[in-house]
Amino acid sequence: MIKDITIGQFFPGKSMVHRLDPRVKLILTMTFIITIFLCKNFFALGIMLFSLILIIISSKISIKLILRGIKPLLFIIVFTAFLNIFFMSTGEVLLEYKFIVVTTGGVFTAIFMAIRIISLIIASSLLTYTTSPTMITDGIERLLSPLKFMKNGVHTVAMMMTIALRFIPTLIEEFDKITNAQKARGANLETGSLVQRAKALIPIFVPLFITSFRRAYELAFAMECRCYQGGEGRTRMKQMKTGLIDIYGLAFMAVILGAVIFLNYSYTHVI
Amino acid sequence: MSIIKTQNLTYLYSTGTPFEIAAIKDVNIEIEQGELVGIIGHTGSGKSTLIQHLNGLLKPTYGKVYIDGQDIWEDKDTIKSVRFKVGLCFQYPEYQLFEETVYKDIAFGPKNMGLDYSEIHRRVHDAASHVGLSEAHLSKSPFDLSGGEKRRAAIAGVMAMQPKVLILDEPTSGLDPKGRDTILNMIKNYRDSTKSTVLIVSHSMEDIAKLATKVLVLNESSVAMYGTVDEIFSKSEEIIQMGLDVPPITRVFMGLAKHGVNVSGQIYTLEQGKVELSKLFAGKCTQGVEGT
Ligand SMILES: Nc1ncnc2c1ncn2[C@@H]1O[C@H](COP(=O)(O)OP(=O)(O)OP(=O)(O)O)[C@@H](O)[C@H]1O
Ligand SMILES: [Mg+2]
């Protein structure tokens, strides 16, 4: 159950996508996501889907993993698509039953939306699959560094994000461990009414919170012992460098963006 | 009929990801009623994974687990009863305490079994006396106990279910020698008085040698040996080759034997050591006396 959540997981590797500078990768991902929303017709979206497939191949992440990332969100995708079928009433009528009208426009929009959401999920999970959490937050911090005038704000927020991300797997592991320990004492988590199930979580969340607070204290002590005093004047162990590969990445994105804009204007009627 | 039996038990973690790993491979064991089994093996050899199969917390990727002759995954109801038949106490169990009082926490298991109030009351007191917690302890908050007391309270929480098999994962880790001895004695007394089967995972060969009747050695996800304490520690060389330790006293005697001293290299408790040494010195001393 909880193990199915693959978003946010990192799979180390040496592919081109892995080697991109995190800052560039962040910008590329954001541009990619915006471009998905710019698409106005199937040709443009097709270009996006095609380039997404290219990116997946070059990242060497197995397609199985990518599909697993979509699985937990499948319901939302299908639901959204379904709504679109019934609420769009352009194009030819395909089916009519009482007040329900299904039109070609509706079906096209539904498919369009589904592809859009799926590409969105894949694009953002590719970022986390190929970039370690610390690199992501470091990248964000660097990108936001023009906002330094806001005193320590940027660094503090970035540090909080780093720590939070760092502790997600730890918390999941802890959650699993405590759940197992209580299950071993016969705790019933799977059946019963909603209230009963909520109550059944008490034996898990009380120890989880206590452990988390203890961890937070320990971490704070450890950081203070190493003279952590906030961001001012700190240097980094890993310097970020942009290289040729990043230029290729940016060029690739520019081509996609150009193509999408061109296709949007060339075929204004399709969808 | 053996109380625990596994057949070709195999478990893979993270199936379908690049991190797939077999934590246990093709494990076939049979454990008899009333045995006190010590489970040893170096870090990552699959001890914790194995014991989580015995009360159905993990479902085997391949293979079968039989408790009391019954396949535990046969149907849903079996699994529930297995949790109560096989009590499992995890490593650092003190982090599972959650109730307002120690009494309530120990009562959590029996309550889940659906026992009536007086039976729960009896079992809580029984378990508390097994682990040496007094009436005063029972009304305290578990978070106000010392580390060792917390550990004992948590173990009592499993004992209170009166399982046929009690499994403890490194019950003494992180405790001082005195706390360690207390817990080990407590487990021994528990077994003697309840006649139940007990499995202990431990990294201390000394404890195992002192306590266990049988030893199960895991190496690289598979069972390397299973036998009586004598059988296992007579193969000290092999155990050392697996990167495991033998009791310190065994190493002393193996060293002595290697240097030509006339002692057996297969000594694994202090008691045996004493006997062996007095045998050796008995000869020498009488010679010495005769000489003067
Ligand atoms: N939740 C998990 N996900 C993935 N792999 C795991 C998980 N738990 C254990 N493993 C792996 O399975 C193998 C066996 O682990 P296990 O915890 O059973 O070892 P162990 O013998 O109990 O070790 P230790 O003496 O350190 O407690 C190890 O290689 C470990 O890395
Ligand atoms: Mg373990």
Side-chain angles (χ1 to χ4, degrees):
Chain A
M1 149 200 103
I2 205 148
K3 293 237 168 64
D4 286 338
I5 301 169
T6 42
I7 277 192
Q9 247 183 55
F10 168 52
F11 299 97
K14 286 206 166 68
S15 77
M16 289 217 297
V17 183
H18 281 91
R19 278 181 292 147
L20 280 172
D21 184 294
R23 287 169 296 181
V24 175
K25 216 186 308 188
L26 275 165
I27 293 174
L28 289 180
T29 312
M30 270 188 285
T31 324
F32 196 91
I33 288 172
I34 293 168
T35 318
I36 292 175
F37 279 102
L38 286 181
C39 292
K40 287 201 180 115
N41 57 45
F42 274 109
F43 293 110
L45 199 60
I47 289 283
M48 296 306 287
L49 211 55
F50 178 68
S51 38
L52 196 57
I53 291 170
L54 283 186
I55 300 171
I56 294 174
I57 293 170
S58 61
S59 75
K60 301 214 169 88
I61 298 278
S62 87
I63 194 78
K64 243 201 217 151
L65 265 176
I66 305 246
L67 293 180
R68 258 198 4 187
I70 300 175
K71 218 167 78 185
L73 297 166
L74 206 59
F75 174 74
I76 297 175
I77 299 169
V78 172
F79 187 71
T80 321
F82 225 68
L83 282 184
N84 272 291
I85 289 188
F86 297 116
F87 288 106
M88 287 292 284
S89 47
T90 52
E92 286 168 45
V93 175
L94 290 173
L95 192 114
E96 211 172 339
Y97 178 75
K98 286 191 185 154
F99 57 91
I100 299 170
V101 186
V102 176
T103 62
T104 47
V107 172
F108 278 140
T109 320
I111 297 172
F112 196 78
M113 286 296 280
I115 296 180
R116 208 182 229 176
I117 301 175
I118 290 173
S119 332
L120 193 83
I121 297 167
I122 295 180
S124 41
S125 40
L126 264 177
L127 173 72
T128 60
Y129 285 172
T130 61
T131 325
S132 75
T134 31
M135 285 309 237
I136 292 180
T137 41
D138 260 12
I140 293 175
E141 187 182 351
R142 292 300 205 80
L143 284 176
L144 293 182
S145 61
L147 301 178
K148 272 266 162 64
F149 62 87
M150 286 162 56
K151 283 263 170 84
N152 259 325
V154 173
H155 171 81
T156 313
V157 171
M159 182 52 97
M160 271 159 49
M161 276 170 62
T162 313
I163 293 176
L165 280 173
R166 157 67 185 75
F167 276 99
I168 288 174
T170 316
L171 275 178
I172 291 181
E173 199 187 308
E174 199 79 39
F175 177 88
D176 276 344
K177 243 194 229 162
I178 297 172
T179 309
N180 275 341
Q182 307 301 24
K183 269 193 194 160
R185 292 206 280 166
N188 184 359
L189 304 168
E190 274 106 26
T191 55
S193 69
L194 212 60
V195 179
Q196 277 171 330
R197 280 201 208 193
K199 265 194 182 157
L201 289 177
I202 295 174
I204 295 167
F205 279 102
V206 171
L208 193 64
F209 274 118
I210 290 169
T211 316
S212 308
F213 282 124
R214 192 172 45 87
R215 260 189 225 290
Y217 277 121
E218 282 170 6
L219 184 67
F221 278 136
M223 283 168 79
E224 262 176 38
C225 288
R226 290 173 203 184
C227 306
Y228 177 78
Q229 287 173 332
E232 225 165 299
R234 276 169 69 85
T235 53
R236 262 156 229 290
M237 189 165 94
K238 279 191 188 138
Q239 291 293 334
M240 291 180 192
K241 273 196 244 90
T242 44
L244 208 54
I245 212 167
D246 299 297
I247 294 170
Y248 290 153
L250 287 167
F252 181 62
M253 192 64 233
V255 170
I256 301 176
L257 187 59
V260 165
I261 290 172
F262 174 74
L263 288 168
N264 270 348
Y265 284 104
S266 324
Y267 303 90
T268 36
H269 301 301
V270 189
I271 204 231
Chain B
M1 183 179 58
S2 42
I3 180 114
I4 298 173
K5 185 177 161 196
T6 69
Q7 214 173 50
N8 305 98
L9 187 61
T10 300
Y11 188 79
L12 309 175
Y13 276 112
S14 320
T15 41
T17 72
F19 304 126
E20 185 172 299
I21 174 174
I24 45 174
K25 279 186 293 218
D26 220 10
V27 169
N28 293 294
I29 48 170
E30 273 188 56
I31 292 169
E32 301 302 321
Q33 169 76 40
E35 232 44 277
L36 201 162
V37 183
I39 302 178
I40 58 177
H42 62 79
T43 292
S45 55
K47 306 181 292 293
S48 303
T49 308
L50 173 64
I51 58 174
Q52 285 178 61
H53 280 90
L54 303 182
N55 76 338
L57 275 178
L58 289 178
K59 188 169 184 178
T61 313
Y62 311 106
K64 293 233 150 71
V65 178
Y66 298 91
I67 302 293
D68 246 354
Q70 192 178 27
D71 178 358
I72 63 170
W73 287 102
E74 209 167 62
D75 60 70
K76 265 194 191 141
D77 298 330
T78 330
I79 270 300
K80 244 188 169 169
S81 64
V82 161
R83 298 267 158 85
F84 301 126
K85 236 187 232 172
V86 181
L88 177 56
C89 186
F90 281 89
Q91 199 174 3
Y92 298 109
E94 52 272 33
Y95 295 132
Q96 71 183 35
L97 300 171
F98 71 99
E99 277 284 10
E100 294 156 63
T101 65
V102 175
Y103 180 96
K104 280 192 188 170
D105 207 284
I106 299 178
F108 182 67
K111 222 156 97 192
N112 287 330
M113 296 171 80
L115 300 171
D116 63 44
Y117 177 80
S118 60
E119 178 65 13
I120 293 177
H121 189 74
R122 200 180 61 72
R123 287 189 176 203
V124 171
H125 282 275
D126 246 23
S129 75
H130 274 308
V131 300
L133 289 177
S134 67
E135 202 61 41
H137 285 123
L138 285 180
S139 52
K140 270 194 188 175
S141 156
F143 304 108
D144 290 341
L145 299 180
S146 79
E149 287 166 345
K150 270 188 206 161
R151 174 85 48 101
R152 282 187 274 150
I155 295 177
V158 179
M159 285 178 175
M161 301 193 303
Q162 301 190 344
K164 275 184 143 177
V165 182
L166 176 67
I167 307 179
L168 302 132
D169 197 350
E170 300 188 36
T172 57
S173 62
L175 293 180
D176 61 315
K178 190 156 164 267
R180 221 176 65 191
D181 284 344
T182 316
I183 288 199
L184 290 176
N185 276 330
M186 188 186 100
I187 293 168
K188 195 167 167 354
N189 292 337
Y190 168 85
R191 171 176 167 262
D192 291 346
S193 69
T194 60
K195 306 275 177 271
S196 51
T197 314
V198 178
L199 274 62
I200 300 183
V201 174
S202 175
H203 279 287
S204 160
M205 302 301 147
E206 222 183 330
D207 296 348
I208 297 270
K210 222 170 11 192
L211 220 60
T213 57
K214 288 270 182 74
V215 183
L216 176 68
V217 187
L218 289 183
N219 188 34
E220 286 171 6
S221 320
S222 309
V223 176
M225 305 177 200
Y226 179 63
T228 62
V229 179
D230 291 286
E231 282 164 9
I232 299 297
F233 285 113
S234 66
K235 296 177 196 153
S236 300
E237 304 279 353
E238 271 175 69
I239 292 181
I240 291 170
Q241 262 171 18
M242 285 177 211
L244 288 173
D245 234 350
V246 292
I249 186 89
T250 311
R251 240 170 324 145
V252 170
F253 275 86
M254 280 168 72
L256 284 175
K258 212 154 94 191
H259 283 91
V261 181
N262 185 22
V263 289
S264 153
Q266 289 163 21
I267 299 295
Y268 47 83
T269 62
L270 279 178
E271 279 310 310
Q272 293 174 334
K274 236 193 244 166
V275 173
E276 188 76 7
L277 277 187
S278 53
K279 250 196 268 168
L280 180 72
F281 286 126
K284 288 230 170 105
C285 285
T286 38
Q287 272 172 16
V289 172
E290 275 165 13
T292 46

